Amino acid sequence: MKEQLEAIRQGALESIAASQETTGLEALRVKYLGKKGELTAVLKQMGGLSAELRPVIGQLANDVRASLEQAIEAQSAVLSRKALEAKLAAEAVDVTIPGKKPPLGHKHPMYSVLDEMKEIFLNMGFEIMDGPEIEQADYNFTKLNAPENHPSRDWTDTFYLKEDSSVLLRSQTSPMQIRAMEGYGVPIRMISAGRVYRKDEVDATHSPMFHQIEGLVVDKGITMADLKGTLNAVIREIYGPETVTRFRPHHFPFTEPSCEVDIQCYKCGGQGCPTCKGEGWIEILGAGMVHPKVLRNCGIDPEEYSGFAFGMGLERLALGRYKISDMRLIFENDVRFLEQF
Amino acid sequence: MKLSRKWLQEFVDLGPVSDRDFAEAMTISGSKVEVTEDLGAEIKNVVVGRIEKMERHPDSDHMWVCQIDVGQEEPVQIVTGAWNIHEGDLVPVAKDNSWLPGGKHITRGNLRGVKSKGMLCSLKELNLDERDFPYAAITAAALLNDYKPLDPEKPSIPAGIQPGHKIYGPVVAAEVLECTPLGGGSYHTCLMLKDATACPDIRCDNVHVGDMVAYNTKTDTLCTLEDLHAEQKEFPHCIPDGIFVLREEGIKPGDDIRPVIGADDHVVEFEITPNRPDCLSVIGLAREVSATFDKPCRFHQPEVKGGAQGALPELLDVETPDPDLCPRYTARMVRNVKIAPSPKWMRERLRSSGVRPINNIVDITNYVMLEYGQPMHAFDYRYVKGGKIVVRRARAGEELTTLDGNVRKLTPDMLVIADDTRAVGLAGVMGGLNSEIVGDTVDVVFESANFEGSCIRKTALALGMRTEASAKFEKGLDILNTLPAVNRACELVELLEAGEVVDGVIDILNYVPQPRTILMDPARVNALLGTGIDPVDMYQYLERVGIRTETGDFPNAPARVVVPSWRADVEGIADLAEEVARFHGYNNIPNTLSAGLNERRGWNPVQQAENTAGTLCRGLGYSEIITYSFISPAYYDKINLPADSPLRNSMKILNPLGEDTSIMRTTTLPSMLEILARNFHYRNKAVRLYELGRTYFAKGDGSGMADEPKVLSLGAYGGGIDFFGMKGAVEAVLEGLRIAGFRFEAETGNPSYHPGRCARIYRGKTLLGILGQVHPAVAENYGADCELYAAELDFNALFTGMGGAPVYQPLPRFPAVTRDIALVCDKDLPVGKLEECIFRGAKGLLKAVSLFDVYTGKGVPEGKKSVAFSLELRADDRSLTSQEADEDVKGILELLSKELNSVLR
């Protein structure tokens, strides 16, 4: 009987180890450990054993049962792990197949640059104002101290909507200076961006409609040093902290003193190259201290208040930022262009 | 404005300052330098050479082999095809490895077997012409040895013609035995006729020993092609062109050619702002240079000897009946004028300044205009009828032929210079052809006047003839400048020996300018600039530009300062601050940030909504576009807008660039369609676009201003887009903007959209916009052969309809019960009506309805459709029983049946 049990153990363990499927394993469990299994059959013969042998064989039988159960459990774990592995292997995908991408729209590069500018000024405590594009000559020119015979008033330069030249498409965002001062009084710290119009034929660097951003600060004690500090801070945010700037005198009817601001050419570092037309500098904006006449035109006493204003073209900024070679691309709106930004 | 640095040197001695440093310093002080041109930059290794020896090329019928002394030990050999040179001539020699204007590189070569180590240069090759060096004009004799008959069968001159043979009349053939340059372009010759000789002095430049010439025995001259009535191709090498034979004094072989031809100058081009017309002159810029470099400026007082016959008051009478348009009129007269080329130094300066030399008198007026910034005009006295000049308004219908040959129709807003009977010039713009200075002009009137700027500007603009003079006048010139300028012109006449100046000046001063003084307050200047500049320094900066205190000192306190007449732009303390800042240096002003914060700051609610709308569109795959605000009126036809549509009442641009950009849009649809179509034509497959752009409607309140409402427009084609794709995008945008309670209604009457695939969007009674498939006929108008979809949303209405901040709703704690129902109803019944009816029929338990199927076909009667919804019912306070749910559904079905004749399938 002892031999029988050992034979069962050996045979069963071999079969279990060889089993490759869960169903086969279950059949083995029934075969050996089931109610009608081989081990049970052996145990049923226990009654014919001597009292001395019975506990010994009983012990052995339990031992065999335990080892078979353990082996079945172990093999079962092996098999289910294998099954999982097989399943995962079958489920493998080609990760180089393109993903299912939800369509994503793109912001126009011009407005990306504009929004960047807006954020910079908002963070400095400015507000953003919006105003009319169809504007009175009074606001676009007269209140900005542009002389009656200023060339920019010519019908060859500005678009007019009234025969008496009193209504026009604004040729600059500067009328927003007047609207801001008239509408809100002082103190004021604002920027205003938007479309402006000039009678330029379309080419690689011109468009009859383009965009400007205007800024105005008026308060007690505002100085040209404030103008420089503010603009230098903004320029360094846009063009990087190492940017070298140059302020040089210029003329605008609505500021005095006036200046234009250049940055040292980022391409040649000031040596002179085609990008900067050999000058070593690239002009980026115009600015100045608000002309006392303009303050007075808006009912603000220039003896008490002073301010600075600035304006810059956005197209050139966007073109430079993204190395866009031709302004026509901006207004062409080819999706192959838009999707690059 | 172009400035010759050599000319500048006459006024300010800068010492050695490089072009780069000069440009930098001037730009920083406010006179922006655009570009500096080195006139001789392109010329390298070109020198003066003397022709030592000339021999005919052994293997050519027209070339010469020359030995040239170029200042080296050995002469160089150069082969040339030019015939106007002679032994002893000084000529420009481009040596081996030299450069000429236009990037032309000259190297040694071989011409028909003869070595040539360079090239002799013509005027043109040095970028010059005869106006620069009038003496270099070449006269060519007709050389019979160069004769090529037009018809070889019938030569006009027999081949092998011998000396003495008659050609026609007094003209006979002659062989040149001797030809010696006498200088000044004339040559002594000795000619052999048949059995006689003749020794005429000639002015033809192409004659050499051995040539056969046509000699006119009657006039003792050589015949030119013209004299023989010959065509150029009959004498291919007898051309009025050749080498530039130099006649400059004091030059020798080996000298650099650049100073000889005036190419050693550097010309600086400035951008002059409109407030500084004084800088449109050499003197004006010299003042700025002097101030910038803090170097003295040497001014010159013109001195006129005068003494010509006659008394000015008797010769000339001037009237100015319109004093407001002519504040000052100054004139002088020159008699016995000898019209000739002006001297080299003057021609060079004119050329450097971008002005072509013409003749001494015209050159003098241009020279003075450049030097003083005062436009001058010279006219022929004999055409001033009655010796009287009237500066008056043109008469209605009056005409004048200007110097450029155009007939100008004048109006009474224009000012003319007239004599007793007719206009002889357009004041401040251009002279008249009828009084032009010509070769036989004897007496000249120099006009140096001050005209009112805006009158000149309007005249120039109206006639489309902006000239150098009008561009200056329109900016407003210094009224005190007319007298020194006219005196300078007369001084130059005497210097050039171009005529005799009549004593006296006619000077009508209709407006007497007073010296202007303004208050200078150093403390205010420092307050404005944010600086701490010493007041004494400030007054010194001002003095550099001629702004001085009345006592000429540099006080430490406010003081009145006198502004010079040429600085009309300096009016107040801000202008003085700029002058101080310019010479203190803008870049020496500190950088500070102003104190103070704004009450209003950050994005305002409208801007936030705009940002959100953009973000939503991009999240949905739509890319942003920018389109023009102006469109063509034809665009309204393209979108099928009815002829009587109020949207056609666009505001019109009166001076548009073209029809295509002539009206302000009242709808963004054509702009969007234009861009969709463009992408379609570029074969872009799936396109999704949006724009937040303005439309423009006249306010109609007399202000001329517009309402400029913004429209959020979407456009799409391809990539599986259909009506519901566009509708879904619009729904997502509206929901993203927290707009609640919007609905869609079929729109069948919008001519731009497909009548069966278009919806209006409402929130309550407010129309939010429209969306749908673009009408196929409209798509065809744009050449798009596919379904285009668009939506136009009134941004203002969207903004107004936006919900406030969200309020938290407790999450459901009890499970929901779902009931699916399939309804059979009339085929035309909109699903929206069913949905709306379902909500009304429910008794408060219905939380959501979602459509999951619409079916027609087998099993559904003709004219009917089956619509299936999934209903979600839930109570907030308990688990719902089936009975409760069924009860609710029953109510819904009853109402559906009653109102919409729609029953369970």
Side-chain angles (χ1 to χ4, degrees):
Chain A
M1 206 161 183
K2 197 174 171 183
E3 288 76 29
Q4 251 182 307
L5 283 171
E6 284 300 340
I8 287 172
R9 185 202 313 252
Q10 197 183 339
L13 286 179
E14 273 169 24
S15 308
I16 289 166
S19 159
Q20 289 304 320
E21 281 181 40
T22 7
T23 46
L25 194 62
E26 178 60 17
L28 288 176
R29 198 182 62 78
V30 173
K31 182 180 173 194
Y32 293 107
L33 301 177
K35 279 182 178 159
K36 291 174 183 167
E38 288 180 24
L39 192 62
T40 319
V42 175
L43 290 178
K44 277 181 184 160
Q45 301 165 32
M46 288 265 286
L49 290 179
S50 66
E52 269 158 49
L53 264 177
R54 202 178 288 161
V56 177
I57 294 300
Q59 174 70 35
L60 180 65
N62 281 338
D63 206 31
V64 170
R65 173 182 291 274
S67 71
L68 291 193
E69 278 173 349
Q70 202 184 340
I72 287 172
E73 199 175 316
Q75 184 65 10
S76 168
V78 168
L79 288 183
S80 65
R81 198 177 70 237
K82 276 191 176 162
L84 180 63
E85 275 168 10
K87 181 168 179 273
L88 293 182
E91 285 172 355
V93 297
D94 178 353
V95 298
T96 64
I97 289 172
K100 289 172 191 163
K101 198 169 43 178
L104 196 60
H106 301 258
K107 197 185 270 190
H108 196 287
M110 267 275 312
Y111 288 151
S112 294
V113 170
L114 176 56
D115 283 354
E116 195 182 330
M117 293 283 292
K118 285 179 175 172
E119 292 286 352
I120 293 170
F121 282 104
L122 287 176
N123 291 340
M124 295 178 96
F126 283 63
E127 66 179 307
I128 303 174
M129 286 187 181
D130 208 3
E133 292 169 20
I134 293 177
E135 185 56 283
Q136 290 169 347
D138 234 20
Y139 283 80
N140 197 74
F141 293 125
T142 313
K143 290 183 176 184
L144 285 164
N145 195 35
E148 228 16 86
N149 62 355
H150 199 270
S152 61
R153 288 182 184 253
D154 286 346
W155 278 49
T156 49
D157 284 36
T158 296
F159 294 112
Y160 284 94
L161 290 99
K162 271 183 116 172
E163 284 293 352
D164 63 1
S165 304
S166 63
V167 179
L168 42 76
L169 289 181
R170 65 176 179 190
S171 63
Q172 49 187 358
T173 42
S174 305
M176 280 309 293
Q177 290 185 26
I178 307 294
R179 294 201 172 271
M181 286 188 272
E182 282 187 354
Y184 296 95
V186 280
I188 199 158
R189 282 172 178 76
M190 74 96 186
I191 58 163
S192 182
R195 299 176 171 206
V196 298
Y197 305 84
R198 285 183 199 172
K199 226 179 148 184
D200 290 326
E201 292 285 352
V202 174
D203 66 23
T205 53
H206 293 90
S207 163
M209 182 187 99
F210 58 103
H211 295 74
Q212 277 188 342
I213 186 162
E214 189 82 12
L216 175 72
V217 172
V218 183
D219 205 340
K220 287 178 180 166
I222 297 293
T223 68
M224 188 134 181
D226 294 334
L227 176 159
K228 283 189 63 193
T230 306
L231 293 180
N232 268 328
V234 170
I235 289 165
R236 286 181 187 135
E237 280 222 41
I238 305 171
Y239 290 97
E242 306 303 324
T243 310
V244 179
T245 60
R246 171 174 93 167
F247 288 69
R248 59 182 161 72
H250 198 71
H251 169 71
F252 303 106
F254 40 95
T255 50
E256 186 77 29
S258 304
C259 62
E260 279 189 334
V261 185
D262 301 334
I263 56 168
Q264 201 164 63
C265 181
Y266 40 80
K267 208 143 194 188
C268 63
Q271 294 307 301
C273 70
T275 301
C276 58
K277 294 182 198 118
E279 290 183 36
W281 297 92
I282 298 172
E283 177 214 322
I284 53 163
L285 60 84
M289 301 302 291
V290 182
H291 201 293
K293 287 184 188 169
V294 173
L295 290 174
R296 232 174 269 129
N297 287 343
C298 298
I300 295 167
D301 181 3
E303 303 288 323
E304 192 178 354
Y305 285 93
S306 55
F308 67 81
F310 56 89
M312 69 190 294
L314 275 176
E315 272 76 2
R316 201 160 24 158
L317 187 60
L319 262 53
R321 158 67 52 96
Y322 299 114
K323 316 252 183 295
I324 299 168
S325 53
D326 191 322
M327 200 187 281
R328 282 169 288 211
L329 287 163
I330 296 275
F331 300 105
E332 190 179 36
N333 299 301
D334 186 335
V335 289
R336 293 167 299 177
F337 170 79
L338 298 174
E339 283 167 2
Q340 295 180 23
F341 303 97
Chain B
M1 171 75 197
K2 287 180 165 180
L3 176 68
S4 146
R5 284 199 62 182
K6 273 164 99 177
W7 198 344
L8 171 69
Q9 195 67 21
E10 200 172 282
F11 294 96
V12 187
D13 186 3
L14 276 189
V17 174
S18 75
D19 285 338
R20 201 184 162 84
D21 291 348
F22 181 76
E24 174 75 11
M26 291 305 289
T27 297
I28 285 295
S29 76
S31 307
K32 172 133 199 280
V33 172
E34 302 270 29
V35 69
T36 304
E37 191 192 355
D38 174 356
L39 296 182
E42 290 192 306
I43 301 176
K44 276 193 200 96
N45 211 12
V46 181
V47 299
V48 175
R50 181 189 290 116
I51 300 170
E52 298 289 306
K53 209 169 124 195
M54 283 175 69
E55 284 171 334
R56 290 185 194 269
H57 191 294
D59 203 17
S60 160
D61 65 344
H62 70 279
M63 286 197 268
W64 289 90
V65 181
C66 310
Q67 305 302 323
I68 319 261
D69 174 4
V70 291
Q72 297 162 350
E73 263 177 45
E74 293 290 316
V76 296
Q77 175 173 298
I78 289 175
V79 177
T80 179
W83 289 14
N84 70 313
I85 47 172
H86 299 82
E87 287 176 0
D89 280 350
L90 290 169
V91 292
V93 179
K95 297 202 287 186
D96 182 24
N97 192 22
S98 61
W99 294 86
L100 291 173
K104 202 166 154 195
H105 190 201
I106 305 298
T107 51
R108 65 174 69 201
N110 215 311
L111 285 156
R112 295 202 190 167
V114 177
K115 282 183 184 151
S116 180
K117 294 167 92 176
M119 189 181 89
L120 308 184
C121 304
S122 68
L123 277 174
K124 211 169 145 196
E125 279 153 346
L126 294 167
N127 202 19
L128 300 166
D129 68 27
E130 285 169 16
R131 281 175 293 187
D132 303 313
F133 288 92
Y135 69 70
I138 291 166
T139 311
L143 302 184
L144 305 182
N145 43 309
D146 189 37
Y147 178 65
K148 305 277 181 300
L150 288 174
D151 181 351
E153 305 293 314
K154 291 182 222 159
S156 308
I157 298 164
I161 191 168
Q162 292 301 311
H165 282 183
K166 181 176 164 182
I167 298 172
Y168 74 87
V171 178
V172 297
E175 189 185 334
V176 181
L177 298 177
E178 194 189 325
C179 178
T180 319
L182 298 172
S186 63
Y187 304 84
H188 176 70
T189 61
C190 194
L191 309 177
M192 180 176 78
L193 306 176
K194 193 179 172 188
D195 38 17
T197 55
C199 296
D201 284 352
I202 59 162
R203 297 198 65 82
C204 294
D205 300 289
N206 61 334
V207 179
H208 297 87
V209 172
D211 282 334
M212 190 75 85
V213 295
Y215 173 63
N216 188 324
T217 51
K218 204 167 165 190
T219 57
D220 192 26
T221 56
L222 301 193
C223 293
T224 62
L225 272 63
E226 208 179 358
D227 297 331
L228 296 182
H229 304 286
E231 290 179 33
Q232 183 67 64
K233 58 185 167 188
E234 293 176 83
F235 293 92
H237 300 100
C238 301
I239 49 174
D241 192 11
I243 304 305
F244 175 19
V245 177
L246 298 161
R247 288 190 208 160
E248 303 303 320
E249 306 254 311
I251 56 171
K252 61 179 189 309
D255 286 354
D256 185 344
I257 198 70
R258 288 176 294 186
V260 178
I261 59 170
D264 58 338
D265 202 355
H266 292 211
V267 177
V268 186
E269 188 163 1
F270 289 93
E271 175 200 349
I272 304 296
T273 53
N275 61 324
R276 293 299 304 272
D278 62 306
C279 287
L280 296 169
S281 67
V282 177
I283 289 176
L285 284 171
R287 286 195 200 104
E288 282 293 314
V289 171
S290 151
T292 301
F293 290 90
D294 203 11
K295 295 267 168 127
C297 203
R298 294 181 297 245
F299 291 115
H300 166 85
Q301 286 298 330
E303 280 171 26
V304 182
K305 293 188 208 82
Q309 229 187 2
L312 192 56
E314 284 162 24
L315 292 166
L316 201 60
D317 182 21
V318 177
E319 284 174 18
T320 56
D322 290 289
D324 51 327
L325 300 183
C326 178
R328 187 171 187 178
Y329 194 93
T330 311
R332 290 195 74 153
M333 254 188 84
V334 178
R335 312 200 74 174
N336 299 322
V337 162
K338 290 177 281 293
I339 300 293
S342 39
K344 181 170 169 253
W345 61 267
M346 182 176 275
R347 295 196 313 268
E348 274 177 17
R349 287 187 178 179
L350 291 175
R351 242 175 85 80
S352 299
S353 308
V355 177
R356 278 284 174 190
I358 295 170
N359 62 45
N360 48 5
I361 296 298
V362 176
D363 289 356
I364 284 171
T365 61
N366 284 332
Y367 189 89
V368 173
M369 172 156 83
L370 290 167
E371 193 171 55
Y372 282 71
Q374 169 65 46
M376 303 266 304
H377 183 55
F379 42 94
D380 193 327
Y381 176 72
R382 70 188 137 164
Y383 300 116
V384 179
K385 301 271 165 64
K388 187 167 170 187
I389 291 171
V390 187
V391 186
R392 60 162 168 82
R393 287 173 185 272
R395 300 191 180 104
E398 192 167 1
E399 286 184 355
L400 173 68
T401 306
T402 41
L403 279 174
D404 55 8
N406 291 323
V407 180
R408 310 287 180 173
K409 288 190 175 13
L410 310 180
T411 63
D413 334 329
M414 301 171 180
L415 196 65
V416 294
I417 311 299
D419 60 15
D420 244 357
T421 54
R422 56 180 188 160
V424 297
L426 197 52
V429 184
M430 193 180 275
L433 198 61
N434 55 15
S435 58
E436 188 185 12
I437 302 294
V438 288
D440 63 349
T441 296
V442 179
D443 297 330
V444 165
V445 177
F446 277 128
E447 163 196 297
S448 174
N450 189 285
F451 301 116
E452 198 268 324
S454 70
C455 167
I456 302 300
R457 183 179 145 270
K458 283 176 190 153
T459 302
L461 206 63
L463 298 175
M465 50 186 308
R466 213 156 164 264
T467 59
E468 192 80 14
S470 76
K472 283 191 161 72
F473 278 121
E474 69 177 41
K475 293 183 179 80
L477 296 179
D478 179 5
I479 194 168
L480 298 186
N481 215 5
T482 62
L483 188 59
V486 81
N487 285 337
R488 174 67 168 151
C490 292
E491 180 188 54
L492 287 168
V493 165
E494 290 176 347
L495 184 72
L496 270 52
E497 297 173 343
E500 298 155 22
V501 179
V502 178
D503 286 329
V505 181
I506 289 181
D507 194 8
I508 299 179
L509 203 51
N510 291 318
Y511 158 75
V512 182
Q514 300 301 315
R516 259 174 334 114
T517 68
I518 54 176
L519 184 68
M520 165 67 185
D521 181 348
R524 284 207 62 201
V525 169
N526 270 330
L528 196 60
L529 298 179
T531 48
I533 303 168
D534 187 323
V536 173
D537 289 344
M538 289 194 191
Y539 285 105
Q540 279 173 349
Y541 291 141
L542 293 178
E543 197 214 18
R544 288 202 211 167
V545 288
I547 300 172
R548 295 182 178 85
T549 57
E550 285 167 313
T551 48
D553 59 350
F554 308 108
N556 211 337
R560 295 202 72 81
V561 289
V562 184
V563 179
S565 60
W566 58 86
R567 289 302 303 274
D569 62 307
V570 176
E571 297 178 314
I573 193 72
D575 304 297
L576 294 174
E578 180 168 273
E579 295 306 302
V580 168
R582 287 204 301 140
F583 299 106
H584 175 70
Y586 275 28
N587 297 296
N588 295 325
I589 295 172
N591 288 282
T592 55
L593 289 175
S594 65
L597 282 173
N598 239 3
E599 255 182 66
R600 302 175 308 275
R601 63 186 176 279
W603 301 108
N604 69 29
V606 175
Q607 291 156 0
Q608 284 172 8
E610 289 175 7
N611 291 347
T612 306
T615 307
L616 287 165
C617 290
R618 292 193 296 280
L620 293 162
Y622 287 71
S623 289
E624 188 172 31
I625 60 171
I626 303 176
T627 61
Y628 282 162
S629 317
F630 29 51
I631 60 173
S632 161
Y635 283 18
Y636 292 144
D637 301 329
K638 270 178 118 174
I639 61 165
N640 278 356
L641 216 54
D644 59 351
S645 168
L647 288 179
R648 285 188 184 256
N649 292 333
S650 293
M651 299 178 78
K652 288 176 187 59
I653 299 167
L654 300 179
N655 56 336
L657 269 182
E659 179 84 355
D660 275 1
T661 51
S662 63
I663 58 168
M664 301 306 287
R665 66 184 179 190
T666 55
T667 157
T668 55
L669 185 64
S671 309
M672 176 56 79
L673 294 182
E674 195 75 17
I675 304 300
L676 286 178
R678 183 173 300 155
N679 276 286
F680 179 80
H681 294 305
Y682 289 162
R683 300 178 192 282
N684 293 324
K685 288 202 170 58
V687 171
R688 305 280 183 275
L689 304 171
Y690 80 93
E691 179 177 34
L692 184 58
R694 294 187 195 207
T695 51
Y696 306 82
F697 299 91
K699 269 194 203 296
D701 61 356
S703 67
M705 301 279 285
D707 288 318
E708 303 179 7
K710 286 185 178 170
V711 175
L712 177 61
S713 49
L714 278 72
Y717 71 79
I721 187 83
D722 59 9
F723 177 85
F724 297 102
M726 179 53 79
K727 184 181 171 188
V730 168
E731 287 171 316
V733 169
L734 298 182
E735 282 166 17
L737 287 171
R738 307 190 38 72
I739 296 168
F742 55 84
R743 64 177 197 281
F744 296 85
E745 283 181 12
E747 162 67 46
T748 55
N750 189 309
S752 304
Y753 288 92
H754 189 307
R757 295 182 179 178
C758 177
R760 286 166 173 259
I761 311 147
Y762 286 97
R763 180 182 162 270
K765 285 182 179 156
T766 310
L767 180 65
L768 298 182
I770 189 166
L771 76 94
Q773 181 187 338
V774 174
H775 198 293
V778 172
E780 199 184 312
N781 290 343
Y782 283 90
D785 183 22
C786 69
E787 291 181 4
L788 303 177
Y789 287 88
E792 302 163 70
L793 305 172
D794 174 349
F795 189 77
N796 230 343
L798 299 187
F799 177 73
T800 314
M802 283 170 65
V807 176
Y808 163 71
Q809 300 295 313
L811 301 178
R813 286 160 53 212
F814 299 95
V817 175
T818 306
R819 290 283 181 273
D820 291 351
I821 54 171
L823 303 166
V824 176
C825 63
D826 284 346
K827 202 173 173 182
D828 294 338
L829 186 68
V831 169
K833 292 253 189 220
L834 289 170
E835 250 187 47
E836 182 260 345
C837 187
I838 290 170
F839 270 110
R840 269 194 295 116
K843 294 186 180 71
L845 298 173
L846 183 69
K847 297 296 177 192
V849 176
S850 55
L851 174 79
F852 68 89
D853 188 39
V854 179
Y855 173 76
T856 53
K858 211 176 157 200
V860 177
E862 192 75 7
K864 297 278 184 186
K865 66 180 169 188
S866 160
V867 184
F869 293 100
S870 182
L871 312 182
E872 191 185 316
L873 301 111
R874 185 167 39 75
D876 294 333
D877 54 352
R878 64 187 189 283
S879 285
L880 220 52
T881 65
S882 283
Q883 276 131 326
E884 282 177 294
D886 291 341
E887 195 64 28
D888 229 37
V889 172
K890 198 176 149 204
I892 290 169
L893 291 175
E894 274 166 12
L895 195 68
L896 283 168
S897 164
K898 193 172 117 198
E899 286 197 356
L900 301 174
N901 190 25
S902 143
V903 293
L904 267 185
R905 189 176 164 193

